[in-house]
Amino acid sequence: MSKNLVDTVLTPRARDLGDFNVRRVLPDGRHPMVGPFVFFDHMGPAEFPPGHGIDVRPHPHINLATVTYLFEGELFHHDSLDARQNIEPGAVNWMTAGRGIVHSERSSPESRASHMRIHGIQSWIALPKDDEECEPAFWHHPANTLPQWSHDGIQMRLIAGRAFGYESPVYVFSPMFYVDCNAIASGHVTLPSDYTERAAYIASGQVTVDGQSFDEGQMLVFTAGANATLAIAEGSRIMLLGGEPLSEPRHLWWNFVSSRLERIEQAKQDWREGRFDSVPGDDEFIPLPE
């Protein structure tokens, strides 16, 4: 494999969230971020018997945006703005935390009534410094509102940003791209060349780059300017992502991301002392880690 093509191969670490495990790829010591992507969790696939499901109690975020995208199952979002939204496969939930927001993520009563399965990706997008303290907001984009097309046997959906001549309706704060590639048949995809930082995450299946094969769970971070083409095996699910790096490094602690360490310390104190807005009708919360 050419050293000038793939810069780094990242391998996820398992994290126990209580109801299920996730595979956490970002942040990584070698690549804390890829473009504005500062956090990348692969959820599941996880299965729950009737009567059980996911219960992520209310918790806070600052200075970032969360992006939830599912391959299977559903998840109900409720936040301190009183936005209530069930997300299904192919749709996008984009929550801008800005100066601060609190939300919960739970399985709906309907999905708990029978055997359920969930599989997807949750990522965090760091906001540019001038936008970190913007007003919090929530947007839902159904699957049929996102650009979709087929290329060489691969079904592609643009989740956010611009790529391959398409633009997603999802509002973004800095140049980025985020694409779901579902290989109905084996095929080839060349990554967009007009972004400084680019990566491909193998959610399932296998890809070959420059004669070397890579498997499920690996994230390939490509060298800036490299003409990278992926040979994607039939049945694989690949996430393409990246964008322009932000001008300042980001600090991450628990659910908080900021360009300023003192802002994270303030958020810790605010959550400990109950100064964040609450999720209407939900008295539960995740305590600050000690």
Side-chain angles (χ1 to χ4, degrees), residues 13-273:
R13 296 89 64 202
R15 291 290 184 270
D16 184 359
L17 298 187
D19 298 314
F20 63 106
N21 289 332
V22 300
R23 287 173 275 180
R24 183 157 300 162
V25 188
L26 295 175
D28 184 275
R30 294 165 294 170
H31 275 280
M33 300 173 66
V34 176
F37 288 81
V38 70
F39 182 94
F40 193 95
D41 264 4
H42 184 175
M43 306 182 293
E47 299 192 24
F48 298 88
H52 295 266
I54 293 173
D55 279 298
V56 180
R57 294 168 293 162
H59 57 279
H61 292 286
I62 62 164
N63 292 186
L64 58 85
T66 67
V67 186
T68 304
Y69 185 81
L70 298 182
F71 306 131
E72 298 179 74
E74 60 179 3
L75 198 57
F76 186 78
H77 164 99
H78 188 194
D79 63 39
S80 50
L81 302 174
D82 206 19
R84 305 169 186 241
Q85 180 63 56
N86 199 49
I87 184 172
E88 297 178 339
V92 172
N93 275 4
W94 177 291
M95 183 183 75
T96 300
R99 60 178 174 77
I101 199 168
V102 178
H103 74 135
S104 64
E105 294 167 299
R106 304 181 188 271
S107 301
S108 67
E110 294 77 14
S111 63
R112 294 176 194 266
S114 59
H115 177 273
M116 65 165 282
R117 178 179 167 96
I118 192 162
H119 187 199
I121 304 289
Q122 189 162 69
S123 54
W124 296 354
I125 308 298
L127 302 180
K129 188 174 182 178
D130 289 346
D131 295 308
E132 284 184 314
E133 296 294 330
C134 69
E135 289 299 308
F138 175 82
W139 293 279
H140 173 76
H141 297 269
N144 62 7
T145 66
L146 302 174
Q148 301 171 66
W149 69 98
S150 294
H151 171 78
D152 196 24
I154 300 169
Q155 292 182 349
M156 305 180 72
R157 177 181 283 117
L158 182 59
I159 298 169
R162 296 182 180 184
F164 303 106
Y166 297 92
E167 182 174 2
S168 170
V170 176
Y171 181 82
V172 297
F173 289 80
S174 64
M176 61 170 285
F177 71 100
Y178 193 17
V179 183
D180 173 19
C181 301
N182 185 13
I184 304 304
S186 298
H188 294 77
V189 171
T190 299
L191 266 71
S193 60
D194 47 353
Y195 293 97
T196 302
E197 298 184 354
R198 301 163 301 157
Y201 177 71
I202 307 168
S204 63
Q206 186 179 77
V207 302
T208 301
V209 179
D210 204 19
Q212 182 167 339
S213 295
F214 300 91
D215 299 311
E216 178 179 328
Q218 294 181 303
M219 178 178 283
L220 314 181
V221 182
F222 295 90
T223 301
N227 185 21
T229 297
L230 285 64
I232 304 177
E234 180 179 349
S236 300
R237 202 70 178 260
I238 312 298
M239 308 299 285
L240 308 180
L241 61 140
E244 295 307 309
L246 301 181
S247 55
E248 311 86 5
R250 288 301 183 272
H251 307 284
L252 190 154
W253 188 88
W254 192 40
N255 298 316
F256 305 138
V257 169
S258 182
S259 62
R260 296 170 291 144
L261 281 172
E262 64 272 17
R263 181 65 179 91
I264 290 178
E265 292 302 317
Q266 178 190 332
K268 290 181 186 180
Q269 194 69 15
D270 289 345
W271 184 245
R272 186 183 291 115
E273 298 181 3

